[in-house]
Amino acid sequence: MAYDDQNIFARIIRGELPAIKVYEDEQVLAFMDIMPQADGHTLVIPKTPAVTLLDLPVDAAAYTIQIVQKVAQAMEKALEVEGIVLMQLSGKSAGQTVPHVHFHLIPSSVHELGKHAAQMGDQDKIQQLAEKIKAAF
């Protein structure tokens, strides 16, 4: 599948759409999921255009996973959780809903997760959780 540079994550990276950011550098962006499966649900995306994990160049994938780990550590500290579900869905049939590779970090037990992208979360609560995570870096 060809990369669509008008997908929602590409537009967030370019600053055309808002996001509640918790981390950003030249290569990666981490922001709160606005339809969270659990409180603190955060997305980590490479800025490199790639639809799935298999489309992402190896160097970008390696760097992105380092940031995934860094964000997860901040989440554990900030939210005082003992477990984080790391999820990466590659391809529509696997449940990928945005055609830009991304990693979900969900502070929860897998048994407590809500359905992915089922309902909009409380934006004020999401913002408060983001501030806690950012402060933990």
Side-chain angles (χ1 to χ4, degrees), residues 4-104:
D4 173 10
D5 69 356
Q6 294 303 308
N7 76 70
I8 191 169
F9 291 171
R11 295 183 67 204
I12 288 171
I13 290 167
R14 290 192 303 266
E16 297 172 4
L17 293 175
I20 301 171
K21 299 176 182 180
V22 298
Y23 178 88
E24 184 172 20
D25 64 24
E26 303 79 33
Q27 297 180 58
V28 174
L29 173 63
F31 56 97
M32 303 303 285
D33 193 314
I34 61 169
M35 298 180 77
Q37 289 179 259
D39 288 345
H41 186 160
T42 303
L43 301 173
V44 180
I45 65 173
K47 292 183 178 180
T48 302
V51 177
T52 71
L53 182 62
L54 301 178
D55 301 322
L56 190 62
V58 172
D59 59 336
Y63 184 77
T64 302
I65 204 68
Q66 289 175 45
I67 302 305
V68 165
Q69 186 177 41
K70 183 175 186 172
V71 173
Q73 290 167 339
M75 289 172 70
E76 276 192 340
K77 180 179 176 184
L79 305 178
E80 299 176 355
V81 294
E82 293 183 10
I84 294 177
V85 174
L86 169 60
M87 186 167 52
Q88 199 292 308
L89 308 170
S90 274
K92 194 172 191 172
S93 66
Q96 183 178 3
T97 57
V98 177
H100 183 106
V101 63
H102 55 285
F103 296 83
H104 297 259

